[in-house]
Amino acid sequence: MVRAMSTLALTPDELLSSTRAVRKRLDLTRPVPEELVRECVQLAMQSPSGSNSMSMQFVVVRDADKRAAIGEVYRQCYGIYTKLDGVYIGSIDKGDEQANAQQRRSASSADYLGEHMGEAPVLVIACNTGRTDGQPGIAGASMMGNVLPAMWSLMLAARARGLGMCWTTLHLMQEQAVAEILGIPFESVQQVCLSPLAYTKGTDFKAAARPPADSIIHWDAW
Ligand SMILES: Cc1cc2nc3c(=O)[nH]c(=O)nc-3n(C[C@H](O)[C@H](O)[C@H](O)COP(=O)(O)O)c2cc1C
């Protein structure tokens, strides 16, 4: 693959540990070249898919009116989310003051995106061909598994190029409204993730504080 754009000097571990949910540090004023988006998607297509089906699809929205319309849907959904006590990021008690301070910063960041989603120069919606609604677990897991690794690869490729993204799902409260804005056939194509895509203000992002690996590993049995 010919690489058109230069990448940041990050080791694999630095890339994996510094690809954050970027919201306040999205540069909403700087255009993102189409070729750069294509390059990230090309890398994302290296991700696995069941039976090598390659059923992942990306809708890349540059049109200002469509971005504004999607941003308004996201703003409305975000407003509903902020009222869900125990679900809203700003309402979760993490148990200690340091973790709660981090949680408050994340909530402030999420609140910001709630107001500014539509202003990002590019919006990316990851979709799967097929819907998981009412399907057995194996079908749902397989369909989601066909698209989610690709979306994460896209986010890693973007980070490596000085771009920031933020995984969001809240607009799915009104998935059909966004399907209509973009002409996505709702009956046969499921949206799974919406992300802004923009250059970041600065490129220094740090590893987040996370619990030790042993808190989630179940060696040999649950
Ligand atoms: C399935 C999923 C859904 C998410 N939905 C939203 C969302 O709707 N809005 C938002 O601002 N962030 C959303 N996030 C981002 C998380 O809030 C973020 O990953 C988390 O706070 C940790 O921050 P970090 O990714 O920078 O480490 C979502 C992340 C995941 C994986």
Short mmCIF file of all heavy atoms in Angstrom, two decimals, residues 17-23 74 78 81 89 94 102-103 106-107 109-114 117 148 152 155 165-173 192-194 196 205-210, ligand 1:
data_model
loop_
_atom_site.label_atom_id
_atom_site.label_comp_id
_atom_site.label_asym_id
_atom_site.label_seq_id
_atom_site.Cartn_x
_atom_site.Cartn_y
_atom_site.Cartn_z
N SER A 17 -1.88 2.62 23.40
CA SER A 17 -2.21 3.17 24.72
C SER A 17 -2.52 4.66 24.70
O SER A 17 -2.85 5.24 25.73
CB SER A 17 -1.06 2.89 25.72
OG SER A 17 0.12 3.51 25.26
N SER A 18 -2.46 5.28 23.52
CA SER A 18 -2.73 6.73 23.49
C SER A 18 -3.84 7.09 22.50
O SER A 18 -4.02 8.25 22.17
CB SER A 18 -1.45 7.50 23.15
OG SER A 18 -1.08 7.26 21.80
N THR A 19 -4.53 6.10 21.99
CA THR A 19 -5.66 6.38 21.10
C THR A 19 -6.89 6.60 21.97
O THR A 19 -7.54 5.65 22.40
CB THR A 19 -5.86 5.24 20.08
OG1 THR A 19 -4.63 5.07 19.37
CG2 THR A 19 -6.96 5.57 19.08
N ARG A 20 -7.15 7.84 22.26
CA ARG A 20 -8.18 8.25 23.23
C ARG A 20 -9.46 8.69 22.52
O ARG A 20 -9.47 8.91 21.30
CB ARG A 20 -7.69 9.44 24.08
CG ARG A 20 -6.42 9.24 24.88
CD ARG A 20 -6.75 8.95 26.35
NE ARG A 20 -7.34 7.63 26.50
CZ ARG A 20 -6.63 6.48 26.52
NH1 ARG A 20 -5.34 6.50 26.46
NH2 ARG A 20 -7.25 5.33 26.65
N ALA A 21 -10.53 8.83 23.32
CA ALA A 21 -11.75 9.47 22.84
C ALA A 21 -11.46 10.96 22.78
O ALA A 21 -11.38 11.62 23.82
CB ALA A 21 -12.90 9.18 23.79
N VAL A 22 -11.27 11.49 21.58
CA VAL A 22 -10.89 12.91 21.44
C VAL A 22 -12.16 13.73 21.18
O VAL A 22 -12.92 13.42 20.26
CB VAL A 22 -9.88 13.11 20.28
CG1 VAL A 22 -9.42 14.56 20.24
CG2 VAL A 22 -8.70 12.16 20.43
N ARG A 23 -12.35 14.75 21.99
CA ARG A 23 -13.54 15.59 21.81
C ARG A 23 -13.15 17.07 21.82
O ARG A 23 -13.20 17.73 20.79
CB ARG A 23 -14.57 15.28 22.91
CG ARG A 23 -14.97 13.79 23.00
CD ARG A 23 -15.98 13.58 24.10
NE ARG A 23 -16.35 12.21 24.37
CZ ARG A 23 -15.78 11.44 25.31
NH1 ARG A 23 -14.78 11.90 26.05
NH2 ARG A 23 -16.21 10.20 25.51
N TYR A 74 -27.69 13.98 17.21
CA TYR A 74 -26.80 13.57 18.31
C TYR A 74 -27.05 14.44 19.54
O TYR A 74 -27.10 13.94 20.67
CB TYR A 74 -25.32 13.67 17.88
CG TYR A 74 -24.39 13.12 18.93
CD1 TYR A 74 -24.19 11.75 19.07
CD2 TYR A 74 -23.72 13.97 19.81
CE1 TYR A 74 -23.36 11.23 20.05
CE2 TYR A 74 -22.89 13.46 20.80
CZ TYR A 74 -22.71 12.09 20.92
OH TYR A 74 -21.90 11.58 21.90
N TYR A 78 -28.12 13.07 23.07
CA TYR A 78 -27.23 13.33 24.21
C TYR A 78 -28.01 13.94 25.37
O TYR A 78 -27.78 13.61 26.55
CB TYR A 78 -26.06 14.25 23.80
CG TYR A 78 -24.97 14.24 24.83
CD1 TYR A 78 -23.99 13.24 24.82
CD2 TYR A 78 -24.95 15.18 25.87
CE1 TYR A 78 -23.02 13.20 25.80
CE2 TYR A 78 -23.98 15.13 26.85
CZ TYR A 78 -23.02 14.14 26.81
OH TYR A 78 -22.07 14.07 27.80
N TYR A 81 -29.68 11.22 27.20
CA TYR A 81 -28.65 10.45 27.93
C TYR A 81 -28.26 11.14 29.25
O TYR A 81 -28.09 10.47 30.28
CB TYR A 81 -27.47 10.29 26.99
CG TYR A 81 -26.16 9.85 27.57
CD1 TYR A 81 -26.00 8.57 28.10
CD2 TYR A 81 -25.06 10.71 27.58
CE1 TYR A 81 -24.77 8.16 28.60
CE2 TYR A 81 -23.83 10.31 28.07
CZ TYR A 81 -23.69 9.04 28.59
OH TYR A 81 -22.48 8.64 29.09
N ILE A 89 -22.34 9.45 31.80
CA ILE A 89 -20.94 9.39 32.23
C ILE A 89 -20.67 10.28 33.45
O ILE A 89 -19.85 9.95 34.30
CB ILE A 89 -20.01 9.75 31.03
CG1 ILE A 89 -18.54 9.45 31.34
CG2 ILE A 89 -20.20 11.19 30.56
CD1 ILE A 89 -17.63 9.52 30.12
N LYS A 94 -17.10 6.52 40.64
CA LYS A 94 -16.03 5.54 40.41
C LYS A 94 -15.38 5.08 41.72
O LYS A 94 -14.47 4.26 41.70
CB LYS A 94 -14.94 6.13 39.49
CG LYS A 94 -15.45 6.51 38.10
CD LYS A 94 -15.89 5.30 37.29
CE LYS A 94 -14.81 4.80 36.37
NZ LYS A 94 -15.29 3.77 35.44
N GLN A 102 -11.29 12.25 37.28
CA GLN A 102 -11.10 11.83 35.88
C GLN A 102 -12.47 11.67 35.19
O GLN A 102 -12.67 12.08 34.05
CB GLN A 102 -10.31 10.51 35.82
CG GLN A 102 -10.28 9.83 34.47
CD GLN A 102 -9.72 10.73 33.37
OE1 GLN A 102 -8.72 11.41 33.57
NE2 GLN A 102 -10.39 10.77 32.23
N GLN A 103 -13.41 11.08 35.93
CA GLN A 103 -14.75 10.87 35.36
C GLN A 103 -15.42 12.21 35.04
O GLN A 103 -16.08 12.35 34.02
CB GLN A 103 -15.61 10.07 36.38
CG GLN A 103 -16.90 9.53 35.83
CD GLN A 103 -16.72 8.35 34.86
OE1 GLN A 103 -15.61 7.91 34.59
NE2 GLN A 103 -17.80 7.86 34.33
N SER A 106 -14.00 13.50 31.87
CA SER A 106 -14.57 12.78 30.72
C SER A 106 -15.99 13.26 30.43
O SER A 106 -16.39 13.40 29.26
CB SER A 106 -14.59 11.27 30.99
OG SER A 106 -13.28 10.77 31.12
N ALA A 107 -16.75 13.53 31.50
CA ALA A 107 -18.13 13.99 31.32
C ALA A 107 -18.15 15.37 30.66
O ALA A 107 -18.95 15.62 29.75
CB ALA A 107 -18.86 14.03 32.67
N SER A 109 -15.91 16.52 28.70
CA SER A 109 -15.50 16.28 27.32
C SER A 109 -16.69 15.76 26.49
O SER A 109 -16.96 16.22 25.38
CB SER A 109 -14.35 15.27 27.35
OG SER A 109 -14.09 14.72 26.10
N ALA A 110 -17.42 14.81 27.07
CA ALA A 110 -18.58 14.23 26.37
C ALA A 110 -19.67 15.29 26.16
O ALA A 110 -20.29 15.35 25.09
CB ALA A 110 -19.12 13.03 27.15
N ASP A 111 -19.87 16.13 27.20
CA ASP A 111 -20.87 17.21 27.07
C ASP A 111 -20.51 18.13 25.90
O ASP A 111 -21.37 18.58 25.14
CB ASP A 111 -20.92 18.06 28.36
CG ASP A 111 -21.50 17.29 29.55
OD1 ASP A 111 -22.00 16.16 29.36
OD2 ASP A 111 -21.43 17.83 30.68
N TYR A 112 -19.22 18.41 25.76
CA TYR A 112 -18.74 19.29 24.68
C TYR A 112 -19.10 18.68 23.32
O TYR A 112 -19.65 19.36 22.44
CB TYR A 112 -17.23 19.48 24.81
CG TYR A 112 -16.60 20.20 23.65
CD1 TYR A 112 -16.55 21.61 23.62
CD2 TYR A 112 -16.07 19.50 22.57
CE1 TYR A 112 -15.98 22.27 22.55
CE2 TYR A 112 -15.50 20.17 21.50
CZ TYR A 112 -15.46 21.55 21.49
OH TYR A 112 -14.91 22.20 20.42
N LEU A 113 -18.82 17.38 23.17
CA LEU A 113 -19.12 16.73 21.88
C LEU A 113 -20.63 16.72 21.63
O LEU A 113 -21.07 16.82 20.49
CB LEU A 113 -18.56 15.31 21.84
CG LEU A 113 -18.66 14.61 20.49
CD1 LEU A 113 -17.82 15.32 19.42
CD2 LEU A 113 -18.22 13.15 20.60
N GLY A 114 -21.40 16.63 22.72
CA GLY A 114 -22.86 16.67 22.59
C GLY A 114 -23.33 17.92 21.86
O GLY A 114 -24.31 17.89 21.12
N MET A 117 -20.80 17.90 17.76
CA MET A 117 -20.58 16.77 16.84
C MET A 117 -20.66 17.21 15.38
O MET A 117 -19.80 16.88 14.56
CB MET A 117 -21.60 15.67 17.12
CG MET A 117 -21.51 14.49 16.19
SD MET A 117 -20.05 13.48 16.46
CE MET A 117 -20.62 12.30 17.68
N LEU A 148 -16.76 -4.02 14.13
CA LEU A 148 -16.12 -3.27 15.22
C LEU A 148 -14.59 -3.29 15.16
O LEU A 148 -13.97 -2.24 15.38
CB LEU A 148 -16.64 -3.77 16.58
CG LEU A 148 -18.17 -3.69 16.76
CD1 LEU A 148 -18.57 -4.07 18.18
CD2 LEU A 148 -18.70 -2.30 16.43
N TRP A 152 -12.19 0.14 14.97
CA TRP A 152 -11.07 0.43 15.88
C TRP A 152 -9.76 0.58 15.09
O TRP A 152 -8.95 1.47 15.38
CB TRP A 152 -10.98 -0.66 16.95
CG TRP A 152 -9.89 -0.40 17.97
CD1 TRP A 152 -8.87 -1.24 18.28
CD2 TRP A 152 -9.73 0.75 18.81
NE1 TRP A 152 -8.07 -0.67 19.26
CE2 TRP A 152 -8.58 0.55 19.59
CE3 TRP A 152 -10.44 1.95 18.94
CZ2 TRP A 152 -8.12 1.51 20.52
CZ3 TRP A 152 -9.98 2.90 19.86
CH2 TRP A 152 -8.84 2.68 20.64
N MET A 155 -9.64 3.96 13.77
CA MET A 155 -9.30 4.95 14.80
C MET A 155 -7.81 4.93 15.10
O MET A 155 -7.19 5.98 15.34
CB MET A 155 -10.16 4.71 16.04
CG MET A 155 -11.63 5.00 15.77
SD MET A 155 -12.76 4.56 17.11
CE MET A 155 -12.61 5.99 18.14
N MET A 165 -10.53 10.79 16.88
CA MET A 165 -11.89 10.30 16.70
C MET A 165 -12.50 10.04 18.07
O MET A 165 -11.82 10.10 19.09
CB MET A 165 -11.90 9.01 15.86
CG MET A 165 -11.29 9.21 14.47
SD MET A 165 -11.36 7.74 13.42
CE MET A 165 -13.09 7.76 12.90
N CYS A 166 -13.78 9.76 18.12
CA CYS A 166 -14.42 9.41 19.38
C CYS A 166 -15.56 8.44 19.09
O CYS A 166 -16.51 8.79 18.38
CB CYS A 166 -14.97 10.65 20.08
SG CYS A 166 -15.81 10.27 21.64
N TRP A 167 -15.44 7.24 19.59
CA TRP A 167 -16.47 6.22 19.40
C TRP A 167 -17.75 6.71 20.07
O TRP A 167 -17.74 7.05 21.26
CB TRP A 167 -16.00 4.94 20.10
CG TRP A 167 -16.73 3.71 19.69
CD1 TRP A 167 -18.02 3.41 19.93
CD2 TRP A 167 -16.17 2.61 18.97
NE1 TRP A 167 -18.32 2.18 19.39
CE2 TRP A 167 -17.19 1.67 18.80
CE3 TRP A 167 -14.89 2.33 18.45
CZ2 TRP A 167 -16.99 0.46 18.15
CZ3 TRP A 167 -14.69 1.14 17.79
CH2 TRP A 167 -15.73 0.20 17.65
N THR A 168 -18.85 6.80 19.37
CA THR A 168 -20.13 7.13 20.02
C THR A 168 -21.24 6.23 19.49
O THR A 168 -21.19 5.77 18.34
CB THR A 168 -20.56 8.62 19.83
OG1 THR A 168 -21.18 8.78 18.55
CG2 THR A 168 -19.41 9.58 20.01
N THR A 169 -22.21 6.01 20.35
CA THR A 169 -23.36 5.18 19.96
C THR A 169 -24.70 5.86 20.26
O THR A 169 -25.76 5.32 19.93
CB THR A 169 -23.34 3.82 20.71
OG1 THR A 169 -23.15 4.06 22.10
CG2 THR A 169 -22.23 2.92 20.20
N LEU A 170 -24.64 7.04 20.91
CA LEU A 170 -25.90 7.63 21.40
C LEU A 170 -26.89 7.96 20.29
O LEU A 170 -28.11 7.91 20.50
CB LEU A 170 -25.60 8.89 22.23
CG LEU A 170 -25.04 8.58 23.61
CD1 LEU A 170 -24.56 9.85 24.29
CD2 LEU A 170 -26.09 7.88 24.47
N HIS A 171 -26.41 8.30 19.09
CA HIS A 171 -27.36 8.65 18.02
C HIS A 171 -28.24 7.46 17.63
O HIS A 171 -29.26 7.63 16.97
CB HIS A 171 -26.62 9.18 16.78
CG HIS A 171 -26.19 8.11 15.83
ND1 HIS A 171 -25.07 7.32 16.02
CD2 HIS A 171 -26.77 7.64 14.68
CE1 HIS A 171 -24.97 6.45 15.04
NE2 HIS A 171 -25.97 6.61 14.21
N LEU A 172 -27.80 6.24 18.06
CA LEU A 172 -28.58 5.05 17.69
C LEU A 172 -29.96 5.03 18.35
O LEU A 172 -30.83 4.28 17.94
CB LEU A 172 -27.79 3.78 18.02
CG LEU A 172 -26.48 3.65 17.23
CD1 LEU A 172 -25.68 2.45 17.70
CD2 LEU A 172 -26.73 3.59 15.72
N MET A 173 -30.15 5.91 19.36
CA MET A 173 -31.52 6.10 19.88
C MET A 173 -32.44 6.54 18.74
O MET A 173 -33.64 6.29 18.77
CB MET A 173 -31.55 7.23 20.94
CG MET A 173 -30.93 6.92 22.25
SD MET A 173 -31.11 8.42 23.28
CE MET A 173 -29.84 8.15 24.48
N VAL A 192 -23.51 1.10 13.60
CA VAL A 192 -23.03 0.63 14.91
C VAL A 192 -22.20 1.67 15.66
O VAL A 192 -22.02 1.55 16.87
CB VAL A 192 -22.21 -0.68 14.79
CG1 VAL A 192 -23.06 -1.79 14.19
CG2 VAL A 192 -20.96 -0.49 13.97
N CYS A 193 -21.73 2.69 14.99
CA CYS A 193 -20.84 3.65 15.63
C CYS A 193 -20.78 4.93 14.80
O CYS A 193 -20.74 4.86 13.57
CB CYS A 193 -19.46 3.03 15.76
SG CYS A 193 -18.20 4.10 16.41
N LEU A 194 -20.81 6.05 15.49
CA LEU A 194 -20.63 7.36 14.84
C LEU A 194 -19.41 8.03 15.45
O LEU A 194 -19.28 8.05 16.69
CB LEU A 194 -21.88 8.23 15.08
CG LEU A 194 -21.73 9.75 14.91
CD1 LEU A 194 -21.50 10.13 13.45
CD2 LEU A 194 -22.98 10.48 15.46
N PRO A 196 -16.67 11.57 15.12
CA PRO A 196 -16.07 12.71 14.41
C PRO A 196 -14.68 12.30 13.94
O PRO A 196 -14.08 11.37 14.49
CB PRO A 196 -15.97 13.78 15.51
CG PRO A 196 -15.86 13.01 16.79
CD PRO A 196 -16.64 11.73 16.57
N PHE A 205 -0.93 12.52 23.39
CA PHE A 205 -2.02 11.91 24.16
C PHE A 205 -1.42 10.83 25.05
O PHE A 205 -0.49 10.13 24.63
CB PHE A 205 -3.09 11.33 23.23
CG PHE A 205 -3.89 12.38 22.52
CD1 PHE A 205 -3.44 12.92 21.31
CD2 PHE A 205 -5.07 12.88 23.07
CE1 PHE A 205 -4.16 13.91 20.66
CE2 PHE A 205 -5.79 13.87 22.42
CZ PHE A 205 -5.33 14.39 21.22
N LYS A 206 -1.96 10.71 26.26
CA LYS A 206 -1.34 9.81 27.24
C LYS A 206 -2.16 8.53 27.42
O LYS A 206 -3.35 8.50 27.09
CB LYS A 206 -1.26 10.51 28.61
CG LYS A 206 -0.35 11.73 28.62
CD LYS A 206 -0.22 12.26 30.04
CE LYS A 206 0.76 13.45 30.08
NZ LYS A 206 0.32 14.59 29.27
N ALA A 207 -1.50 7.54 27.99
CA ALA A 207 -2.22 6.32 28.41
C ALA A 207 -3.20 6.71 29.52
O ALA A 207 -2.89 7.55 30.36
CB ALA A 207 -1.23 5.28 28.91
N ALA A 208 -4.37 6.10 29.52
CA ALA A 208 -5.35 6.34 30.59
C ALA A 208 -5.04 5.44 31.78
O ALA A 208 -4.42 4.38 31.62
CB ALA A 208 -6.75 6.04 30.07
N ALA A 209 -5.48 5.88 32.96
CA ALA A 209 -5.36 5.01 34.15
C ALA A 209 -6.38 3.87 34.00
O ALA A 209 -7.55 4.12 33.74
CB ALA A 209 -5.65 5.82 35.40
N ARG A 210 -5.93 2.67 34.08
CA ARG A 210 -6.82 1.51 33.96
C ARG A 210 -6.49 0.53 35.08
O ARG A 210 -5.34 0.47 35.53
CB ARG A 210 -6.63 0.81 32.61
CG ARG A 210 -7.04 1.62 31.38
CD ARG A 210 -8.55 1.66 31.21
NE ARG A 210 -8.95 2.04 29.88
CZ ARG A 210 -9.46 3.24 29.54
NH1 ARG A 210 -9.63 4.17 30.45
NH2 ARG A 210 -9.80 3.49 28.29
C1 LIG B 1 -19.53 1.23 22.83
C2 LIG B 1 -19.07 2.62 23.16
C3 LIG B 1 -19.99 3.65 23.12
C4 LIG B 1 -19.60 4.95 23.40
N1 LIG B 1 -20.51 5.95 23.26
C5 LIG B 1 -20.13 7.23 23.45
C6 LIG B 1 -21.02 8.29 23.16
O1 LIG B 1 -22.15 8.07 22.70
N2 LIG B 1 -20.59 9.56 23.36
C7 LIG B 1 -19.32 9.84 23.81
O2 LIG B 1 -18.97 11.03 23.95
N3 LIG B 1 -18.43 8.85 24.05
C8 LIG B 1 -18.80 7.56 23.88
N4 LIG B 1 -17.90 6.55 24.06
C9 LIG B 1 -16.51 6.88 24.47
C10 LIG B 1 -16.25 6.53 25.94
O3 LIG B 1 -16.90 7.48 26.75
C11 LIG B 1 -14.74 6.54 26.17
O4 LIG B 1 -14.14 5.51 25.40
C12 LIG B 1 -14.41 6.27 27.64
O5 LIG B 1 -14.87 7.34 28.43
C13 LIG B 1 -12.92 6.09 27.88
O6 LIG B 1 -12.20 7.17 27.36
P1 LIG B 1 -10.94 6.88 26.43
O7 LIG B 1 -11.45 6.13 25.23
O8 LIG B 1 -10.37 8.24 26.05
O9 LIG B 1 -10.00 6.07 27.24
C14 LIG B 1 -18.25 5.24 23.76
C15 LIG B 1 -17.32 4.19 23.78
C16 LIG B 1 -17.72 2.91 23.46
C17 LIG B 1 -16.68 1.82 23.42
#
